Amino acid sequence: MKRKLAAVAVLSATALLTGVVQGTAAMAAPAPHTGAAVDPIALANGQAAKVAHALALGGKEQLVAKDAVVDADGTRHLRYERTLAGLPVLGGDLVVHQKADGSTASVDKATGASLALPSLTPKIPADQAADQATGAVQSTVGITADKDEAPLAAVHQTGKAELVVWAADGNPRLAYRTTVEGVRTDGTPSRQLLVTDAATGTVLSTHEQVQTASGTGKGVFVGSVPLTTTQSGTSYQLKDATRGGQATYTLKNKTSGSGTLVANSTNSFGNGLASNAESAAVDAQYGAAVTWDFYKNTFGRNGIKNNGVGAASRVHYGSNYVNAFWDDTCFCMTYGDGASNTHPLTELDVAGHEMSHGVTSATANLNYSGESGGLNEATSDIFGTMVEFYANLPSNPPNYLIGELININGNGTPLRYMDKPSKDGASADSWSSTVGSKDVHYSSGVANHFFYLLAEGSGAKTVNGFSYNSPTSNGSSITGIGRDKAAQIWYRALTVYMTSSTNYAGARTATLKAASDLYGATSAEYSTVAAAWSGVNVN
């Protein structure tokens, strides 16, 4: 699922509230919050030198603050990226947990390896590294067996190769980071981020920054919903000043640019039919609004990046484009119109899933490969599902099925199942040593299944009219703690304890720490987290 940004102009206009998106009440569990009196980044940067000294980092190493979470009791969780002689250290991120008095209680590191590089001089020049990266994309990276990601049709190099330190695999070495852009055969833009060894040119990591979920739509999904709009003269715009200025634009079947802000003279948009160009825009605007409200009212998170800035949504992308994507670089959601331009990809859990990739990027930034990639995808499935439950729309009844309305398989079946992921024919129900080699959309099954077991428990069950039957790998019986508490635990683990290289064993540790923080180490919630992970063979 992909990432991309559209420029959003700040308009001086009178906001006209035509309705407030309603959802469920805030979760019962206490949520961590960022202290309002102190800028979180300033707080973390102010501690950077002290933390570096306490960790005995080398003289050429520095910490750069990325985020900070402050609990109600004053406990701080300071997230840092690391540099070595000014070079970004990929996989060098860490989270420092401090008591209210400023003393450090513990540290979670993406890698424990020391950055003892023999030289910071590359053996391969930057232009050669960039050419090799482009060639690697052309020959291998663009060829995929993933059914929701088409092969690349064309690629081109973007900018120069950047010298970095690669530490994500525990073997720090000098490397280059190169971005190679292209277009897939289905019209989806691609932005591959490659890391190559600066001595040999070997590809160390590939990361598709534009992340997609293919499917066909079935018309307009959200039905009649309230929208917050902005009045400008005699025009009403799909621009929401109450949610960071997030707005919806139409690309009018183009594949580039910011598009045109959706507006009309009546303050009533769409008619529920795909043939009306505004109907897809209503879905997109509502999806962005309810995702904002879910994160705000559930976790106290102020927007995708927790900075109060709303994302842009773009509809009517391309022609016959059967896909939708999130792009971090443009901080925007983009939707195609589907087959024959009559089936917009604007389903609610698609919006929640894709925008949650932005939340992951702004926090743990889980590597989009191996087990951490599966956790990245599962995080979006988990919170996309929770957005659907939060909205609780009659036209889109919430459930534990992913993309059930877009009919990606053409036979009415959903894209993924959380109660028993293997029902899609490819996803993993439980962990094994080979899970990390699966496509991230399928390795995500382990965490999706864990979350379902944690929330609802094992065995046969009907939830909101949908029937499920969730097994455990060890034959155990599990009683769930409810999805609200399960979501609180996953969010705290993601934002406080996980790092870019967290794998499934690390996710078990992170969620147990989160459960202990929220409910206590002797609580039923804590023991159920442990039991649910054991139920998917993560011990």
Side-chain angles (χ1 to χ4, degrees), residues 406-458:
I406 58 176
N407 193 22
I408 192 172
N409 299 315
N411 59 4
T413 59
L415 178 60
R416 288 185 287 278
Y417 304 78
M418 296 185 77
D419 64 321
K420 189 177 181 182
S422 62
K423 286 196 292 186
D424 68 8
S427 292
D429 286 335
S430 58
W431 183 89
S432 71
S433 59
T434 62
V435 158
S437 62
K438 285 181 172 288
D439 180 272
V440 294
H441 297 87
Y442 305 139
S443 61
S444 64
V446 179
N448 281 342
H449 193 193
F450 158 80
F451 185 84
Y452 178 88
L453 290 172
L454 180 62
E456 303 293 349
S458 59

Side-chain angles (χ1 to χ4, degrees), residues 127-499:
D127 55 353
Q128 180 181 337
D131 290 342
Q132 288 178 330
T134 303
V137 171
Q138 288 175 318
S139 62
T140 59
V141 178
I143 301 173
T144 174
D146 181 10
K147 64 183 178 183
D148 70 356
E149 192 171 86
L152 287 171
V155 299
H156 65 274
Q157 179 187 324
T158 303
K160 297 180 179 179
E162 175 193 13
L163 203 59
V164 298
V165 175
W166 171 254
D169 61 359
N171 180 25
R173 72 202 87 165
L174 199 62
Y176 282 107
R177 178 168 56 185
T178 308
T179 299
V180 179
E181 293 188 349
V183 178
R184 295 190 179 277
T185 54
D186 68 350
T188 300
S190 171
R191 185 176 296 107
Q192 299 279 354
L193 188 66
L194 271 75
V195 180
T196 53
D197 193 303
T200 65
T202 301
V203 175
L204 302 175
S205 173
T206 65
H207 182 182
E208 174 56 84
Q209 293 179 290
V210 182
Q211 300 163 359
T212 67
S214 299
T216 57
K218 293 292 184 180
V220 176
F221 301 99
V222 300
S224 298
V225 292
L227 296 171
T228 302
T229 61
T230 294
Q231 184 177 7
S232 178
T234 61
S235 176
Y236 296 90
Q237 306 165 337
L238 286 189
K239 183 177 178 67
D240 189 346
T242 69
R243 296 180 178 89
Q246 58 189 24
T248 298
Y249 301 79
T250 175
L251 287 171
K252 299 179 180 179
N253 303 120
K254 297 179 181 178
T255 58
S256 62
S258 302
T260 303
L261 183 62
V262 178
N264 66 31
S265 61
T266 65
N267 206 22
S268 178
F269 297 81
N271 62 7
L273 299 177
S275 57
N276 184 302
E278 291 180 354
S279 297
V282 170
D283 284 341
Q285 185 74 359
Y286 180 83
V290 78
T291 300
W292 176 287
D293 288 356
F294 164 72
Y295 278 105
K296 180 76 170 179
N297 296 332
T298 305
F299 307 119
R301 188 174 188 84
N302 192 23
I304 299 301
K305 287 188 176 181
N306 202 24
N307 61 357
V309 177
S313 296
R314 304 187 305 173
V315 295
H316 306 307
Y317 173 91
S319 182
N320 302 315
Y321 180 64
V322 188
N323 222 323
F325 58 87
W326 167 266
D327 192 333
D328 266 343
T329 60
C330 73
F331 199 59
C332 70
M333 234 346 264
T334 302
Y335 302 91
D337 286 326
S340 303
N341 290 324
T342 58
H343 300 80
L345 275 287
T346 48
E347 186 185 352
L348 184 58
D349 66 353
V350 172
H353 175 111
E354 301 292 358
M355 284 184 258
S356 292
H357 276 303
V359 174
T360 297
S361 177
T363 56
N365 196 28
L366 290 158
N367 293 327
Y368 204 66
S369 62
E371 292 187 19
S372 59
L375 288 166
N376 188 317
E377 269 297 309
T379 295
S380 283
D381 280 351
I382 288 166
F383 289 134
T385 294
M386 291 303 298
V387 165
E388 196 173 82
F389 272 103
Y390 182 90
N392 196 25
L393 294 176
S395 60
N396 186 183
N399 51 60
Y400 290 97
L401 309 174
I402 307 301
E404 71 279 6
L405 297 182
I406 58 176
N407 193 22
I408 192 172
N409 299 315
N411 59 4
T413 59
L415 178 60
R416 288 185 287 278
Y417 304 78
M418 296 185 77
D419 64 321
K420 189 177 181 182
S422 62
K423 286 196 292 186
D424 68 8
S427 292
D429 286 335
S430 58
W431 183 89
S432 71
S433 59
T434 62
V435 158
S437 62
K438 285 181 172 288
D439 180 272
V440 294
H441 297 87
Y442 305 139
S443 61
S444 64
V446 179
N448 281 342
H449 193 193
F450 158 80
F451 185 84
Y452 178 88
L453 290 172
L454 180 62
E456 303 293 349
S458 59
K461 187 174 187 178
T462 299
V463 181
N464 201 31
F466 293 85
S467 297
Y468 307 98
N469 194 352
S470 190
T472 57
S473 63
N474 57 3
S476 63
S477 295
I478 297 172
T479 300
I481 63 174
R483 58 183 167 271
D484 292 356
K485 288 183 177 180
Q488 289 286 350
I489 289 170
W490 192 268
Y491 180 80
R492 183 166 176 84
L494 175 76
T495 58
V496 172
Y497 295 112
M498 291 185 186
T499 66

